[in-house]
Amino acid sequence: MQEGTGAEAMKNLFFFVGFCFVLFFCFMASSAPVWTYYPPAAQASIVYDVALQGDYLWCATANGPVRWDTRDMTFTTYPDAPVKNVTAVVADSIGNVWFGGTPYLLKYSNSVWSKLFLNNTDSYSIVYAMEIDEKNGNVFADGISWE
């Protein structure tokens, strides 16, 4: 045995441990999740509710309905919607999308808008929640049933 072999072994051990730390941190940095920021659309700055319908994510926003295409992350706004401030959205199994607004319900079906006045509420009512009974097709907006 030569002198310095213990020192050489210790040097190699430190090099090996240091190399392992570098590899570990490089691996961890490369496998970290990547966050993507999508700036808010001018027409949809506040999103109140969302509903998934196939490849589309429908959004109820302060400036009207918005549809996000989840395949390519593009969006469509609907300036022709009869009500601009929609606060709730739900999609049914036959392709209709329902929006709750102030004080209306909107139905979007085959590119046509229908507007229903919530005549059993006051004119300042806001729809906060919606659900669909798929058995009979009723739409419930804040507990009120619509057929």
Side-chain angles (χ1 to χ4, degrees):
M1 247 185 178
Q2 297 178 350
E3 261 188 281
T5 306
E8 189 68 29
M10 197 62 133
K11 183 178 172 184
N12 288 340
L13 178 65
F14 281 126
F15 175 76
F16 177 73
V17 170
F19 182 73
C20 288
F21 274 118
V22 169
L23 281 179
F24 174 76
F25 286 114
C26 287
F27 174 74
M28 292 303 292
S30 68
S31 65
V34 177
W35 290 90
T36 303
Y37 172 73
Y38 295 99
Q43 297 298 316
S45 57
I46 300 172
V47 177
Y48 296 111
D49 196 12
V50 297
L52 191 60
Q53 182 190 48
D55 291 327
Y56 299 115
L57 181 69
W58 289 91
C59 303
T61 77
N63 293 311
V66 175
R67 186 187 72 186
W68 281 89
D69 188 332
T70 61
R71 296 167 296 189
D72 60 7
M73 296 309 291
T74 58
F75 64 92
T76 304
T77 59
Y78 293 87
D80 59 331
V83 175
K84 297 302 177 218
N85 186 26
V86 290
T87 53
V89 60
V90 66
D92 64 25
S93 62
I94 58 173
N96 301 317
V97 183
W98 297 82
F99 291 91
T102 310
Y104 298 96
L105 285 182
L106 299 179
K107 178 182 173 185
Y108 186 71
S109 179
N110 298 319
S111 301
V112 176
W113 290 101
S114 301
K115 180 169 79 169
L116 304 167
F117 183 69
L118 301 175
N119 58 3
N120 52 352
T121 62
D122 63 56
S123 62
Y124 298 103
S125 293
I126 299 173
V127 176
Y128 290 106
M130 297 178 70
E131 190 61 51
I132 293 187
D133 182 354
E134 293 293 347
K135 289 182 183 176
N136 60 21
N138 287 349
V139 176
F140 292 89
D142 288 341
I144 301 167
S145 176
W146 294 84
E147 295 182 27

